[in-house]
Amino acid sequence: MAPDPWFSTYDSTCQTAQEIAEKIQQRNQYERNGENTTKLTVTIRALLQKLKEKIALLKDLLLRAVSTHQITQLEGDRRQNLLDDLVTRERLLLASFKNEGAEPELIRSSLMTGGAKRTVPNPWLFEEPEETRGLGFDEIRQQQQQIIQEQDAGLDALSSIISRQKQMGQEIGNELDEQNEIIDDLTNLVENTNEKLRTETRRVNLVDRKSTSCGMIMVILLLLVAIVVVAVWPTS
């Protein structure tokens, strides 16, 4: 498995900081002995610039890893703490290089390691949490990958639930459409029935008026007949 580029860069940055601390210590010794420090000063200045660039690279790598969810938020916070610690060390080294105040105790203590190969945890690291204490880079990476896999499984389950809810919503929507169609059909049927009722009512009213008119005509005719009969009937 390929090493994590962030930790590889971090380890290299710590080595650069260690080298700067040793060079500053050496330059201070030269100054106390009255020796020429020009060459060491140029070297330290170049190393400080290199340290600054590596810290900027670490910031960029961390931002990418967090934004693309390559690591968990917990791991992102842990790496940010390591990065903040490096930034503090950079400021201390720069202040020591410029002879601003006493030489930091941290630099002197870091020189006690000599030229021995460093192992993780680095002597400058803060106290790690219980979850990662004593773990190597590969073990930490495996732990983070397992956490990411568990998160992915949870997201898959959530996606499945959302899909089922979406399907239920579509089925409810289809049922509502069918109910609306039935309601529309009933509305049209009621309107047709009302129209038929209005038509029949008009017919009944028309027949009723005609019947009334015929009755009046018959009464008038009978009266006329009675008058004629009375007029022409001979009186005794």
Side-chain angles (χ1 to χ4, degrees):
M1 186 178 294
D4 191 314
W6 194 92
F7 283 112
S8 299
T9 305
Y10 173 77
D11 191 63
S12 174
T13 306
C14 288
Q15 291 177 356
T16 300
Q18 176 72 17
E19 184 179 359
I20 293 172
E22 293 173 354
K23 295 294 184 184
I24 291 176
Q25 181 75 4
Q26 186 178 2
R27 185 202 65 174
N28 292 345
Q29 184 65 37
Y30 279 11
E31 288 179 347
R32 285 192 290 268
N33 296 335
E35 301 180 35
N36 192 327
T37 61
T38 303
K39 185 177 180 180
L40 271 175
T41 299
V42 173
T43 301
I44 294 171
R45 197 182 305 276
L47 287 173
L48 284 170
Q49 179 62 30
K50 184 179 180 181
L51 177 62
K52 181 179 180 180
E53 293 173 355
K54 286 188 174 182
I55 290 176
L57 177 59
L58 283 173
K59 291 179 180 179
D60 183 63
L61 290 174
L62 179 57
L63 179 61
R64 292 181 185 178
V66 172
S67 61
T68 56
H69 304 290
Q70 296 177 8
I71 59 176
T72 63
Q73 185 62 47
L74 178 62
E75 176 63 14
D77 293 340
R78 174 179 176 274
R79 295 187 186 187
Q80 184 62 53
N81 288 333
L82 294 176
L83 187 55
D84 292 341
D85 187 70
L86 267 179
V87 172
T88 300
R89 297 330 184 234
E90 179 193 19
R91 288 198 295 265
L92 290 173
L93 289 169
L94 185 59
S96 180
F97 171 68
K98 294 179 179 180
N99 292 319
E100 297 175 355
E103 183 178 8
E105 180 65 26
L106 180 60
I107 296 177
R108 292 200 298 270
S109 63
S110 68
L111 294 173
M112 295 176 62
T113 59
K117 179 179 177 62
R118 295 184 308 107
T119 58
V120 178
N122 186 279
W124 284 359
L125 294 186
F126 70 102
E127 185 177 359
E128 296 188 26
E130 292 292 339
E131 293 81 2
T132 58
R133 185 174 300 171
L135 298 179
F137 291 156
D138 291 339
E139 293 173 321
I140 293 175
R141 182 167 57 253
Q142 291 175 0
Q143 184 184 76
Q144 298 306 318
Q145 288 176 346
Q146 181 179 357
I147 294 175
I148 291 174
Q149 290 174 357
E150 292 175 355
Q151 291 178 341
D152 289 341
L155 290 174
D156 290 340
L158 179 60
S159 176
S160 177
I161 293 174
I162 293 175
S163 297
R164 289 197 298 271
Q165 290 178 338
K166 179 180 179 181
Q167 183 178 358
M168 291 175 59
Q170 291 175 343
E171 292 176 353
I172 292 174
N174 294 335
E175 182 68 22
L176 289 175
D177 290 339
E178 293 178 359
Q179 295 296 330
N180 288 334
E181 291 178 359
I182 294 174
I183 292 174
D184 291 339
D185 292 340
L186 289 174
T187 301
N188 294 331
L189 179 61
V190 170
E191 290 178 352
N192 292 334
T193 302
N194 288 336
E195 183 62 27
K196 290 180 180 180
L197 285 174
R198 287 192 292 270
T199 301
E200 293 300 322
T201 300
R202 286 195 296 270
R203 289 178 180 176
V204 170
N205 290 336
L206 180 60
V207 170
D208 185 62
R209 286 196 297 272
K210 288 182 178 180
S211 298
T212 303
S213 299
C214 290
M216 292 294 296
I217 292 172
M218 290 299 295
V219 171
I220 293 171
L221 288 176
L222 289 173
L223 289 174
L224 289 174
V225 170
I227 293 171
V228 171
V229 170
V230 172
V232 299
W233 189 266
T235 57
S236 56

